[in-house]
Amino acid sequence: MAELHFFTGTMDSGKSTLALQTNHNHAARGRAGRIFTANDRAGQAQISSRLGLTHEALEVGPDFDFWRYVVESLTHGGRIDYLICDEAQFYTRDQVDQLAKVVDELQIDVFAFGILTDFRTALFEGSQRLVELADRMNVLQVEALCWCGKRATHNARTENGAMVVEGEVIVVGDVDDAGAAPADVAYEVLCRQHHRRRLTAARAKAVSLAPEPLPFG
């Protein structure tokens, strides 16, 4: 029986790498699949891993219809055994419903990969619906780490080096490099404590380099 799988984790937990590996494993067994993504940092119609792996993909815009695409492909003689759906947090509620329908009505496996919450710690629309509908939900075992060494559980957005908790939900950027100059918009994974305190790696470094107060009084 086909199933709807949802693999989730913070940034840096290897979701896109696993998506590409899943596609490789199924294709190596002679199965035919399609790869989808949305708002990947590498640009449109690309799925990319921070390990340097890339693969062409179909871009999922807000008006994309998974059910229509699959039915039309099958009607025209195409073969589809599974779907790989990366950046699934950006999918709409209706699109996740379409994926569930593909699984139930056409018996095609769907493997979705995405982040649970945004930089405000609120559930993404697509991820929320996947949690509600998925046959299997898997939390990735590769733990991303906060700058302090604890397990990272929250995704933070920085603008010009400062953490923000307001703004547009979808703004594409990559994980900030602590050794480089702050990007206009970047992301960083933090533990809950430091996300709550808005204490990013750059800010923690600045605090640690601040001169010690004189011991007067």
Side-chain angles (χ1 to χ4, degrees), residues 1-8 18-19 22 26 31 81-86 88 91 96 99-100 103-104 108-114 126-127 129-131 133-140:
M1 297 292 290
E3 291 185 323
L4 173 57
H5 300 257
F6 180 37
F7 298 85
T8 186
L18 181 58
T22 301
H26 284 264
R31 304 190 79 203
D81 298 314
Y82 65 93
L83 304 181
I84 301 290
C85 298
D86 198 28
Y91 298 178
V96 175
L99 290 174
V103 173
D104 295 340
I108 293 174
D109 287 309
V110 173
F111 303 91
F113 303 79
S127 298
R129 193 58 175 155
L130 279 163
V131 169
L133 294 183
D135 296 297
R136 297 176 187 264
M137 179 175 166
N138 306 275
V139 178
L140 271 63

Side-chain angles (χ1 to χ4, degrees), residues 23-103:
N23 177 66
H24 171 78
N25 290 349
H26 284 264
R29 297 298 179 266
R31 304 190 79 203
R34 299 288 191 278
I35 302 179
F36 301 89
T37 190
N39 300 299
D40 189 275
R41 60 189 171 277
Q44 284 202 341
Q46 287 280 329
I47 176 174
S48 64
S49 162
R50 292 190 177 88
L51 296 182
L53 304 173
T54 61
H55 198 290
E56 292 183 355
L58 296 165
E59 185 72 17
V60 178
D63 298 324
F64 187 85
D65 189 317
F66 284 101
W67 175 258
R68 181 182 301 170
Y69 172 86
V70 173
V71 169
E72 288 182 354
S73 296
L74 296 176
T75 301
H76 288 86
R79 176 185 167 191
I80 301 177
D81 298 314
Y82 65 93
L83 304 181
I84 301 290
C85 298
D86 198 28
E87 306 292 356
Q89 70 271 10
F90 296 135
Y91 298 178
T92 67
R93 182 183 181 90
D94 287 344
Q95 286 168 337
V96 175
D97 286 344
Q98 293 159 15
L99 290 174
K101 186 177 181 181
V102 166
V103 173

